[in-house]
Amino acid sequence: METLELPANIGILERGPAGATIHAHSAGSAISRSVFSDIPALQTLFSVDGRILACVHNSGVSVYDAKSFVPVLQIHTPGTVAVSFSTTGRFLCVLQKASNLGAGKEKNLTVWEVSSGAIAYDCFQKAFSKADWPTIQFSADDGIACRAVSNEVHFFFPPHFTTHHVRLRVEQVAKCKLSPCHHPVIASFAPTNQKQPGKVSLYDVPSAGTQELVKQEPKVQKSIFRVQDIDFRWASDGSAVLIIASSDVDMTNQSYFGETNLHYARVDGRVNCKVSLDKEGAVHEASWSPNSDEFVVVYGVMPAKATIFSALTCEPIYQLGSGPHNTVRWNPFGHMICLAGFGNLPGDLRFYDKKADGKYKLTGFARAACSVRSCYCKFIYFCVLNVDNGFKIWRYNGELLYHAERNKLYEATWQPVAAGTYKSRPISPGTVRKEDGSGLKGTGDTSGPRKPPPYVPPHGSSGTGSFSLAHAPPEESKPGKYRTSRSTEPFPFTATSGPPGATFADSKASKNAAKNAKKRAAAKAKKGMGAT
């Protein structure tokens, strides 16, 4: 078996009943148990570059250097609900449970400077929503921070949170999302009310030193009907945003689980539209490539379709086929994709590699039954199991590299690394695993799905229908250039026969009819000659 393309001593953090532990992994197996072992933790969070680690426990938060495992900050914040690092790891946001004293009596949201241990900013937050966390967002260089309040978005300019701030007037704002770049744009959402539809707006961030309350026209604005909640998905370069609009009730009565739509908006205003999807059903996932040049959407009733769209035009350019999928994961370099189906789906994994001509080639597949969480690390895919507790590591061709079994496992994740630590590499020759199981060198897990059998209707001649909502017919599951699932041409029906007296404009006369017509014409001509 060839050497595994996994960097030496890469860290995997796992959290169980005893606490958090980091293992060093290489060549598909655990090297040793790290000195960072069984640290009390109810939650864990790495900084974006993996340099520091925050562990939440009963008495507060402990921040560790993730390389030396030495504590760098101890925060006494009992009842901590959530934590988040700023983009560079300079600041740590901590949210505690709001007490019964009410708003204004305590400041339960604090921003700590990690190096000094000082509080840089604090305020009161009444409610907590995991989907809307973090409440305070930071730009790519931590030079700008923002927070949405009633009818306003507050901007701060660290480290001067209190002395330099600007308020942007945004009517009825319920949610906002800062783009992840050095010169960010803010996307805001105002829900539907009785007078107007939901509204999404993109604003430039006001400059420091301007007047305290700013009113400005949005760069881009979009009205969305029948929407109760919004999920913003920014491209990594901040050039465009995907907007997943959802409602608990489907006014068309087509779905019991509500309605979802996907919209697209470029910051320059050139494209602002609803993403055209050619299959009815929910939008299960929408994910940007790390290169910001395209995005993939998984949508429709099962078996769901997965389609690649251009980031410049929002037009479909490639489809990855249909299957039991509701999850998308890109590798950090943007040239590999994993489609997966978690939750009530069987856990099928399909790996694709992007070629120089823009086509995506299937490199492997596997099955991760009962998985609840997943992530990419370089070329390796990682899943956490919920029933058979533990975690598994797969290669990009579906080969099982490592399986760690645990009695109880609450969390497991890769330790992040700084951007640029590793370079993009093509897949190794001879490692592509075909759908019939051939073409794979070495040993590994072969429990993944084989090539699907030919499609048989539920009431086929065999008497034992094999129809499944989770599996598409073979011709629909293959990747290829984009093609719509429904033909826009009229149904190609040509009538050649029918009941007596029926006429068909497009039908062709039979040979006998043509022969009889010829005879009648000849007889008529002969009769005419006799008359003369």
Side-chain angles (χ1 to χ4, degrees):
M1 182 177 180
E2 63 178 290
T3 303
L4 175 65
E5 299 173 4
L6 184 64
N9 300 333
I10 191 167
I12 292 181
L13 180 144
E14 59 175 284
R15 182 173 61 86
T21 300
I22 292 183
H23 296 279
H25 279 248
S26 182
S29 61
I31 295 177
S32 61
R33 179 172 287 266
S34 171
V35 293
F36 188 91
S37 177
D38 297 339
I39 300 298
L42 302 175
Q43 298 179 38
T44 61
L45 179 68
F46 280 107
S47 61
V48 174
D49 57 5
R51 180 174 48 87
I52 49 180
L53 171 69
C55 294
V56 179
H57 44 79
N58 291 327
S59 59
V61 182
S62 298
V63 181
Y64 298 87
D65 184 302
K67 190 173 183 179
S68 63
F69 310 114
V70 175
V72 296
L73 180 63
Q74 298 284 351
I75 303 175
H76 183 68
T77 51
T80 297
V81 177
V83 294
S84 68
F85 280 107
S86 64
T87 311
T88 66
R90 181 179 180 182
F91 300 99
L92 176 67
C93 299
V94 179
L95 178 65
Q96 298 172 261
K97 290 182 180 178
S99 70
N100 296 326
L101 297 178
K105 299 296 183 180
E106 66 172 15
K107 297 181 178 180
N108 61 332
L109 177 58
T110 52
V111 179
W112 300 77
E113 189 171 22
V114 176
S115 60
S116 64
I119 296 179
Y121 177 75
D122 58 0
C123 62
F124 176 80
Q125 180 174 320
K126 182 177 180 180
F128 168 71
S129 171
K130 187 175 181 180
D132 298 335
W133 181 257
T135 305
I136 298 179
Q137 305 169 46
F138 290 83
S139 61
D141 58 357
D142 284 356
I144 299 173
C146 72
R147 172 177 178 249
V149 298
S150 299
N151 297 315
E152 293 178 355
V153 178
H154 291 182
F155 293 92
F156 311 96
F157 303 92
H160 309 289
F161 280 88
T162 56
T163 57
H164 297 77
H165 66 275
V166 178
R167 296 181 296 151
L168 176 64
R169 184 71 177 179
V170 182
E171 296 289 343
Q172 304 297 323
V173 59
K175 182 180 294 187
C176 68
K177 187 69 175 290
L178 198 65
S179 62
C181 54
H182 292 282
H183 302 286
V185 173
I186 188 73
S188 68
F189 167 62
T192 303
N193 57 36
Q194 295 180 351
K195 297 181 179 179
Q196 61 184 10
K199 187 178 295 183
V200 171
S201 305
L202 305 184
Y203 295 90
D204 283 323
V205 175
S207 302
T210 58
Q211 56 184 342
E212 185 177 346
L213 180 61
V214 177
K215 294 182 180 180
Q216 66 181 30
E217 293 296 322
K219 293 167 62 68
V220 179
Q221 195 167 64
K222 185 177 186 63
S223 296
I224 303 177
F225 294 87
R226 303 194 307 269
V227 56
Q228 293 177 322
D229 195 15
I230 286 288
D231 185 9
F232 292 112
R233 306 283 178 91
W234 277 103
S236 60
D237 63 358
S239 61
V241 62
L242 292 173
I243 307 159
I244 302 178
S246 60
S247 176
D248 294 337
V249 178
D250 185 0
M251 301 301 294
T252 63
N253 293 325
Q254 294 182 355
S255 173
Y256 176 80
F257 300 99
E259 182 181 5
T260 58
N261 293 292
L262 183 64
H263 302 263
Y264 171 93
R266 287 191 61 84
V267 171
D268 56 18
R270 295 181 180 179
V271 184
N272 181 10
C273 64
K274 181 178 179 180
V275 180
S276 179
L277 305 177
D278 61 354
K279 188 172 186 178
E280 295 181 354
V283 176
H284 306 291
E285 179 72 290
S287 179
W288 284 97
S289 164
N291 300 324
S292 300
D293 58 346
E294 55 192 19
F295 60 91
V296 60
V297 184
V298 180
Y299 58 95
V301 295
M302 291 296 162
K305 290 191 69 174
T307 303
I308 305 289
F309 289 79
S310 168
L312 292 176
T313 62
C314 192
E315 294 179 351
I317 55 178
Y318 202 84
Q319 59 184 19
L320 301 178
S322 302
H325 306 131
N326 58 10
T327 302
V328 175
R329 293 292 183 269
W330 294 84
N331 80 329
F333 306 106
H335 67 81
M336 297 194 73
I337 292 179
C338 179
L339 293 180
F342 297 145
N344 59 351
L345 296 178
D348 289 351
L349 309 176
R350 299 180 72 86
F351 301 89
Y352 297 88
D353 179 42
K354 184 179 181 180
K355 301 302 180 182
D357 57 1
K359 296 181 180 179
Y360 285 82
K361 182 178 181 181
L362 181 68
T363 61
F365 52 90
R367 174 161 290 177
C370 305
S371 295
V372 296
R373 191 177 298 113
S374 59
C375 57
Y376 252 116
C377 176
K378 203 166 182 278
F379 299 116
I380 312 301
Y381 196 72
F382 178 88
C383 284
V384 182
L385 307 182
N386 193 26
V387 176
D388 299 324
N389 291 313
F391 61 87
K392 291 182 177 181
I393 303 175
W394 277 275
R395 203 176 190 182
Y396 53 75
N397 58 6
E399 180 185 1
L400 181 64
L401 301 175
Y402 184 75
H403 182 193
E405 297 182 353
R406 301 288 185 264
N407 292 328
K408 288 186 178 181
L409 182 66
Y410 303 143
E411 178 186 9
T413 184
W414 294 107
Q415 180 179 352
V417 295
T421 302
Y422 302 116
K423 295 182 179 180
S424 177
R425 295 174 55 187
I427 63 175
S428 300
T431 57
V432 174
R433 183 179 177 186
K434 299 180 181 179
E435 289 189 273
D436 59 2
S438 64
L440 176 64
K441 292 184 178 181
T443 59
D445 179 29
T446 59
S447 61
R450 298 297 182 185
K451 185 175 182 179
Y455 173 72
V456 179
H459 304 290
S461 59
S462 62
T464 57
S466 60
F467 175 75
S468 172
L469 289 177
H471 295 280
E475 64 274 9
E476 293 185 8
S477 62
K478 296 179 180 179
K481 289 185 178 180
Y482 178 78
R483 55 186 183 274
T484 57
S485 60
R486 293 190 295 267
S487 174
T488 57
E489 299 295 329
F491 190 79
F493 173 78
T494 301
T496 57
S497 61
T503 59
F504 303 95
D506 296 331
S507 63
K508 295 182 179 179
S510 66
K511 292 183 178 180
N512 291 333
K515 186 176 181 181
N516 292 335
K518 188 175 181 180
K519 287 182 178 180
R520 286 194 298 268
K524 186 176 181 180
K526 184 177 181 181
K527 184 178 181 181
M529 291 176 63
T532 58

